[in-house]
Amino acid sequence: MPIPDLPPLPSEAEYLNCIRCGLCLAVCPTYRESLHEIASPRGRLMLARKGLQGELDLRSNLYEQMYACFDCLACNEVCPVGIRPADLAVEMRRVQEQAGPQFWKKVVFNRFLQNPDWLEAATLPVRLYERLGIRGLVHALGLQKILPRRLRDMEAMLPRAPRRPLRQILPEVTSAGGESKRRVGFFLGCAQNLMYADESAAAVRVLARNGSTVVTPKDVVCCGMPARSYGRMEDARAQARRNIELFETADVETVVTDCATCGATLKSYGAFLGDDPVWAERAAAFSAKIRDVSEFLLSIPMENPAKRIAARVTYHDPCHLRRGQGVWKQPRELLKMIGGVEFVELPEADVCCGMAGTQIITHYEMSIKVLMRKLDNLAKTGADCVASGCPVCRMQLTTGLARAGLSMRVTHPVVLLDEAYHSDL
C-alpha cells in the first residue's frame, strides 16, 4: 500500500556517523536491559531506514520495534550528530497508521480523548472501585495477592481515585489569595483530572497563594500526546486547535500545567501546526505561553512556606520534563524551599521509569525490568518520599514500590509545597 507522507530520512553522512558512535546504546533503557541491537536506537534507526527505502517489508514485526521505543528522548539528547531516533520511531508509527488505519485507534483518539464527558464516564468504574470501598475490602482480605502478577501490578498502579473529576469541582476562575498580580491559565490534563485531582487542586491553590488569578477552562481536551504516540497525528492537531481556541478566549498571560507530558506536548503545538497557514502563528504564540508549574513558580516572587515538613525527599525526573522541556532544576529548588525537607539526589534520576505512557500494558516485561532498576536506586536513597512531576511516572513508581514492599510516599512536588503553606495540616 502506498504511503502518502514519509518522514524525512537522516542523511547518509549522519547515518554513517551514527554507526561509528553508539553513544545512544548506553542511555537507551530498552537496550540496557536486553542488550539486543534491534532494541536500541541505532537498531530502530536502521530498521526504519531500510523499511522506508524498500529494502525491508514494512510489516508488523518492524513496527513492533518502533512501539517498543519508550520515547524517553535520551538518544535524541546524546546523539552528537543530531539524529533523533526517538522521533523517528514515533514517525514510523504514523507511517503504519497511514498505511492501514486501525479502528480502535480512531475510537480512542478521535472520539473519547476529544470528549471530556465520555472520558470521565469511561473511568467511572475505577472511581466506584475506590469510593464504594471495594478496593479497601480487596486489600483487607488480601485478595489482590491471588491475582495474576500482571493484573496485580495494574491494580497497584491505580492512585486513590477522587470522588469526582476535578473538572466538575474546580471553579473556572480561582481568585488570587491577596492582590492579583497576574492572570494565568491552568491546563488540567486528563490523568490529573481523573486520577490526581487532589494534586492539581493543590497546584491551583499554590498559584493563587502566590498572587495569580487562575483560569481553568472546563472544556479542554487531551493535549494530544497519546494520539501522536500512536500515529494519529491529525487527531493530535485537532486537539491542539481546540485547546488553543479555548485559551485564546481566556485572555491569560501564561498557561501553566502540572503534567510533564501535557507540558511537553503543549509546547510542541507550534511545531504540530507549523505548516498550517491558518494556525501556525496562533499555535506558536500559544506554545510560547506554556510553563510547567515548577518553572512558572520559580520565575515569580514566591512566598516562603512557614510549615516545616520533616522528611527525606528525593526526586525522579520525568523524561518529558527534563529532556522534553529542559526543566529539572526548578522542581528540586521548590522542594529545597520547604523547611525540614532533607533533599537527597536519586541515582540515575533522569533515567526513564519504564512507564512511557502505556508500556506497562503493551510491553509489560521490559517495562518491569526498567522499573526494577529505578526501584533499586530509590531504595539506596533511604527517602521517605519520592516526588515527580508526571502522573504516569507516579503510577509506575507506585507499582514498583508495592512490588518491592517499600514504604515510600509518591507525590508531586507542588503538593509538598501546598502542605508547607498550610500550618494547620
Side-chain angles (χ1 to χ4, degrees):
M1 181 176 293
I3 302 169
D5 185 14
L6 292 177
L9 283 171
S11 70
E12 186 68 15
E14 289 172 333
Y15 178 67
L16 292 175
N17 284 342
C18 174
I19 292 291
R20 298 188 187 103
C21 166
L23 285 175
C24 57
L25 304 185
V27 299
C28 175
T30 58
Y31 177 78
R32 294 205 312 189
E33 295 300 330
S34 70
L35 298 181
H36 293 156
E37 180 77 15
I38 200 170
S40 74
R42 194 169 63 183
R44 296 188 185 103
L45 179 67
M46 180 176 289
L47 286 174
R49 186 182 179 88
K50 296 297 182 184
L52 294 173
Q53 289 180 327
E55 297 179 38
L56 284 176
D57 289 337
L58 291 173
R59 293 181 176 175
S60 59
N61 55 350
L62 185 149
Y63 289 122
E64 164 56 26
Q65 294 305 323
M66 305 303 154
Y67 276 98
C69 170
F70 283 12
D71 191 29
C72 70
L73 311 177
C75 52
N76 289 358
E77 182 181 65
V78 77
C79 180
V81 294
I83 298 176
R84 302 178 65 85
D87 293 0
L88 186 58
V90 174
E91 276 289 282
M92 289 301 293
R93 301 172 192 177
R94 183 173 64 84
V95 170
Q96 183 196 31
E97 185 63 12
Q98 284 185 311
Q102 294 180 281
F103 178 72
W104 74 266
K105 291 183 182 178
K106 180 178 180 180
V107 172
V108 171
F109 303 117
N110 189 263
R111 295 289 185 267
F112 274 88
L113 292 186
Q114 298 196 36
N115 189 320
D117 293 333
W118 289 13
L119 198 57
E120 290 173 2
T123 53
L124 178 61
V126 176
R127 292 193 295 281
L128 292 178
Y129 175 61
E130 179 82 45
R131 291 300 167 183
L132 294 179
I134 301 171
R135 188 179 197 184
L137 183 62
V138 166
H139 282 255
L141 298 175
L143 297 179
Q144 81 280 9
K145 297 177 183 176
I146 64 175
L147 295 173
R149 178 79 262 185
R150 181 179 296 205
L151 191 56
R152 199 185 320 168
D153 285 336
M154 298 300 112
E155 200 276 344
M157 178 173 67
L158 295 174
R160 190 171 184 275
R163 190 178 302 276
R164 295 171 62 191
L166 184 60
R167 186 175 73 103
Q168 299 177 8
I169 304 168
L170 193 66
E172 184 135 343
V173 178
T174 302
S175 301
E179 177 191 356
S180 181
K181 300 173 182 174
R182 63 196 69 82
R183 181 180 170 91
V184 304
F186 184 73
F187 184 90
L188 180 60
C190 304
Q192 292 292 121
N193 175 43
L194 298 168
M195 296 294 180
Y196 289 103
D198 290 346
E199 297 189 354
S200 285
V204 171
R205 282 195 298 271
V206 169
L207 290 168
R209 189 176 187 110
N210 285 284
S212 299
T213 296
V214 186
V215 181
T216 310
K218 297 280 188 181
D219 296 325
V220 295
V221 295
C222 174
C223 65
M225 176 63 88
R228 173 185 173 272
S229 296
Y230 277 87
R232 299 279 304 187
M233 198 59 209
E234 277 310 310
D235 289 337
R237 292 191 181 104
Q239 290 157 11
R241 295 184 187 101
R242 174 63 177 153
N243 290 326
I244 292 168
E245 277 186 331
L246 281 171
F247 279 98
E248 284 177 341
T249 60
D251 188 26
V252 293
E253 304 154 12
T254 307
V255 178
V256 178
T257 181
D258 59 348
C259 172
T261 301
C262 292
T265 308
L266 299 175
K267 288 181 179 179
S268 298
Y269 280 4
F272 283 12
L273 297 169
D275 294 330
D276 186 325
V278 176
W279 285 89
E281 187 174 342
R282 295 167 67 180
F286 174 80
S287 289
K289 292 182 177 181
I290 305 301
R291 297 289 183 277
D292 179 74
V293 65
S294 64
E295 181 182 20
F296 177 73
L297 288 171
L298 265 293
S299 72
I300 62 173
M302 284 184 64
E303 174 187 337
N304 287 321
K307 183 189 174 188
R308 293 176 62 82
I309 296 179
R312 187 176 172 88
V313 179
T314 192
Y315 180 76
H316 161 72
D317 285 296
C319 299
H320 287 88
L321 187 58
R322 178 155 184 156
R323 298 194 189 87
Q325 303 180 57
V327 175
W328 59 278
K329 293 180 180 177
Q330 296 91 333
R332 290 169 169 79
E333 291 303 314
L334 285 186
L335 293 171
K336 292 173 183 176
M337 284 179 61
I338 303 170
V341 164
E342 178 190 358
F343 182 79
V344 55
E345 193 60 59
L346 173 66
E348 299 186 343
D350 63 342
V351 174
C352 180
C353 65
M355 177 60 110
T358 55
Q359 291 285 335
I360 197 170
I361 299 171
T362 59
H363 297 82
Y364 175 76
E365 299 296 336
M366 179 59 74
S367 176
I368 292 297
K369 285 181 180 178
V370 174
L371 173 61
M372 288 300 103
R373 184 176 179 123
K374 181 65 68 176
L375 263 291
D376 289 343
N377 285 320
L378 280 172
K380 293 174 186 173
T381 66
D384 308 305
C385 173
V386 54
S388 188
C390 174
V392 294
C393 289
R394 292 195 296 278
M395 293 172 78
Q396 180 83 337
L397 295 175
T398 301
T399 302
L401 290 167
R403 282 179 68 105
L406 291 176
S407 177
M408 188 179 297
R409 182 184 179 188
V410 183
T411 192
H412 194 294
V414 82
V415 171
L416 295 176
L417 186 61
D418 180 57
E419 291 176 3
Y421 276 137
H422 292 81
S423 57
D424 55 332
L425 292 175

